[in-house]
Amino acid sequence: DRYADDIHYKGGCLLNENFGWSAQMLSYSSRPPDPALVGDKWREMWLERLEAMPLLISTWLRHPHRDAYWKHGSVCEDYSAIKAAVLSIGGWHDGYRNTPAHLVENIESPVKAIVGPWIHKYPHFAAPEPRIGFLQEALRWWDHWLKGSDTGVENDPAYRAWLMDSVDPKPWLPERPGRWIAAEKWPSPNISNEVFYLTDAGLSPTSGTLNVSVSSPQDCGMAAGEYFPFTYGPELPDEQSEDDARSVVFDGQALETALDIVGAPEFRLQFSSDQPDTLISVRLCDVFPDGRSALITHGFLNLTHHASHESPEALVPGMAYQASFALDQIAYRIPAGHQLRVAVATSSWPSVWPSPRMAVVTLTEASLALPLRPVATGDEWGFEASEAAPAWRAENVRKAASLRKTERRDDGTVVLTVSNDFGADRDLEHGLVSGSSTLETWTIHPDDPLSAKAEIAWTQTLARDDWSIRTETSSAMWSDATHFHVTGKVVAFEGDTVVFERKYRDTIDRNGH
């Protein structure tokens, strides 16, 4: 679903990855063709490309609802149109973690899914480990469906997933303990929903009274990590206690036995708001006996979308509404002695762009249906060891480095800086030296949603012998109560000479965001 489950919108909320990907594509697209491939026409082709480049965020912000623009690219509009045999691969730390389960559940042609603990990388070199022999799995699949070889893939379980153990939360984990579980069918008949109720007394297996108001500071969400991790750096969810303190939390009793959560928890709520537009963020957390809090999964909902992503409507302040939405798919074991925590907030920065007004949302009924599977006793499936061809011959010229830091200014403004130098390498086959780096700045004041601002700068370099190219791009986004404001800039250098410069500026109606 290109609207609801990509990098643009989630639960009708505007993801900041939308801006991030626009900034990244402005930089990626600014690079020239290689003269070694296209000859002397490289400069003409490059300048033509630079003249034609769009600022993609302008288009994406003009489609804030689930309209024909998003439906066009969404396979969920007609799963039956997929006739090919499909092997879907995903990762629990990847932005596309929900897709494998959706495909296995809905495609009529032969389909299987594998989900590991990985970020947005191929599973034979991804992290967190364990890695698997992905290339061997791909060959098994293709040899059967393209060559007719008997490789046994048609008898593989429908859904194989890495059930992650509870671990000390850190912004980077090189490996994630757990085990492989397998479901012959998906949805699995071995998974059943157990409902936990949010009550005035906490999280309970039985219903109770609830009358709780939620109004979070705008910097709630800073511990969530990157929405779409892909750099082997400090991008994973950190310890959640600070965000929990900015939320309203509902804690269950210490568990007497471990729970294996496998699937997408479903959150239901009855609510009212004192503003016509706001959002809600729900995090399911694993609370350790010493009080540390680890993120299990989360979800968002723009409450003006409570009935529809296609035709949202402003809320009537004080009126009661009902809604439900799914949290992200997960496979996670919470051990005995730990507690389940549901944390509810009205902000999730910098994952989601804030609503235009600070709102108070009152919950009068709420529950979370947890998909629980009988506790696995060990690996239920095994994969071959990771294999790959020898690495392409290259020489590292500049080492990669990642940095993520948060500072709070004297006036209370919170600034998150994310710096990624992806380094530079010389290709030893044809001599091209390529490098890139980016700097992101996310700024917000806890008391003012209209203070939100995002700024991203990129640099790309290419060189060979006496040929040297550099592009520098920058993008910024901020908003007032009614409009988004975006800017962009591209400067292209040949050697040290500027050969192209272009600025972008646009104002777009917020239209419910």
Side-chain angles (χ1 to χ4, degrees):
D1 190 328
R2 302 311 296 266
Y3 176 77
D5 221 5
D6 197 346
I7 54 89
H8 304 287
Y9 297 86
K10 191 174 187 69
C13 297
L14 173 61
L15 291 168
N16 284 329
E17 192 67 35
N18 186 64
F19 170 73
W21 187 233
S22 172
Q24 190 164 338
M25 286 308 300
L26 189 67
S27 175
Y28 278 12
S29 300
S30 72
R31 295 175 293 189
D34 188 343
L37 294 177
V38 302
D40 292 340
K41 61 183 179 179
W42 73 269
R43 185 183 289 104
E44 178 186 352
M45 294 172 66
W46 185 30
L47 294 175
E48 182 180 353
R49 175 188 298 174
L50 290 169
E51 287 285 357
M53 284 199 316
L55 187 66
L56 291 170
I57 187 125
S58 290
T59 298
W60 296 337
L61 288 176
R62 284 186 165 85
H63 294 276
H65 306 150
R66 196 175 181 282
D67 59 16
Y69 177 83
W70 304 111
K71 292 179 182 179
H72 171 74
S74 298
V75 299
C76 63
E77 287 296 297
D78 183 9
Y79 285 111
S80 67
I82 299 175
K83 305 302 183 183
V86 175
L87 176 61
S88 178
I89 311 290
W92 294 133
H93 295 103
D94 188 335
Y96 295 134
R97 62 183 68 85
N98 298 317
T99 299
H102 293 169
L103 295 179
V104 174
E105 182 173 354
N106 292 286
I107 291 179
E108 297 173 3
S109 60
V111 57
K112 309 288 183 182
I114 300 170
V115 188
W118 312 302
I119 59 172
H120 191 63
K121 300 291 182 185
Y122 284 107
H124 59 301
F125 60 82
E129 294 194 38
R131 296 164 177 166
I132 65 169
F134 164 67
L135 299 182
Q136 299 97 302
E137 286 297 315
L139 283 174
R140 287 181 66 229
W141 191 259
W142 289 323
D143 282 350
H144 178 75
W145 295 111
L146 301 181
K147 293 182 177 181
S149 302
D150 182 12
T151 63
V153 293
E154 73 275 21
N155 298 319
D156 289 349
Y159 191 79
R160 287 161 286 175
W162 185 251
L163 179 71
M164 297 187 294
D165 282 340
S166 171
V167 295
D168 186 20
K170 294 179 180 178
W172 179 247
L173 295 166
E175 61 181 334
R176 190 74 195 244
R179 63 211 45 81
W180 285 106
I181 59 172
E184 294 299 323
K185 296 181 179 180
W186 190 266
S188 171
N190 294 327
I191 296 174
S192 58
N193 284 329
E194 183 172 337
V195 178
F196 291 82
Y197 297 88
L198 282 63
T199 75
D200 292 330
L203 192 65
S204 172
T206 57
S207 60
T209 60
L210 176 65
N211 193 320
V212 172
S213 294
V214 185
S215 184
S216 306
Q218 296 301 306
D219 60 335
C220 182
M222 298 293 288
E226 287 288 331
Y227 179 76
F228 213 115
F230 72 103
T231 67
Y232 302 99
E235 298 184 313
L236 303 185
D238 208 343
E239 207 275 329
Q240 299 288 296
S241 293
E242 290 192 8
D243 283 344
D244 292 350
R246 298 182 179 101
S247 310
V248 175
V249 299
F250 301 85
D251 290 349
Q253 297 295 315
L255 295 173
E256 295 182 3
T257 59
L259 298 180
D260 282 1
I261 304 169
V262 180
E266 182 82 9
F267 189 73
R268 296 182 178 275
L269 69 158
Q270 181 171 289
F271 70 94
S272 62
S273 170
D274 70 343
Q275 299 293 337
D277 41 25
T278 188
L279 64 89
I280 195 166
S281 162
V282 175
R283 289 177 294 116
L284 177 63
C285 296
D286 166 8
V287 181
F288 289 61
D290 63 5
R292 285 172 297 151
S293 177
L295 182 65
I296 299 174
T297 183
H298 63 178
F300 315 111
L301 181 64
N302 179 336
L303 292 178
T304 67
H305 290 231
H306 64 91
S308 170
H309 291 314
E310 296 182 34
S311 303
E313 54 188 28
L315 303 171
V316 176
M319 180 176 289
Y321 296 91
Q322 291 184 336
S324 64
F325 59 98
L327 278 57
D328 282 341
Q329 295 270 344
I330 198 65
Y332 187 101
R333 173 169 295 175
I334 181 168
H338 288 215
Q339 295 169 269
L340 287 167
R341 170 174 289 168
V342 176
V344 182
T346 52
S347 59
S348 187
W349 178 265
S351 296
V352 171
W353 197 264
S355 302
R357 305 167 185 84
M358 295 281 284
V360 177
V361 174
T362 300
L363 303 180
T364 51
E365 289 182 16
S367 63
L368 187 69
L370 278 187
L372 299 181
R373 185 181 188 271
V375 173
T377 57
D379 281 326
E380 300 172 356
W381 191 260
F383 292 96
E384 292 186 36
S386 172
E387 292 183 9
W392 191 266
R393 294 199 314 122
E395 174 190 12
N396 183 251
V397 176
R398 186 180 76 246
K399 290 185 177 181
S402 295
L403 176 67
R404 186 183 184 95
K405 67 176 183 178
T406 302
E407 63 172 319
R408 191 174 297 271
R409 295 174 178 166
D410 291 342
D411 67 353
T413 299
V414 178
V415 182
L416 171 65
T417 303
V418 181
S419 173
N420 281 306
D421 184 343
F422 298 104
D425 293 283
R426 176 180 288 106
D427 189 307
L428 295 179
E429 301 297 331
H430 52 66
L432 186 69
V433 179
S434 57
S436 64
S437 61
T438 181
L439 178 66
E440 305 178 21
T441 306
W442 303 87
T443 306
I444 201 163
H445 192 284
D447 300 331
D448 183 8
L450 300 183
S451 68
K453 187 172 185 180
E455 300 167 280
I456 299 180
W458 276 86
T459 299
Q460 301 281 348
T461 57
L462 293 170
R464 181 190 292 111
D465 300 327
D466 59 353
W467 180 75
S468 176
I469 294 297
R470 184 173 84 255
T471 65
E472 297 178 354
T473 63
S474 59
S475 301
M477 176 173 166
W478 66 97
S479 63
D480 55 34
T482 57
H483 291 83
F484 293 114
H485 306 279
V486 295
T487 61
K489 184 178 180 180
V490 179
V491 184
F493 298 82
E494 186 176 351
D496 293 323
T497 303
V498 175
V499 295
F500 180 88
E501 184 171 352
R502 181 180 178 184
K503 295 181 179 179
Y504 303 79
R505 189 176 187 92
D506 203 357
T507 298
I508 302 108
D509 192 328
R510 291 189 69 150
N511 201 353
H513 289 275

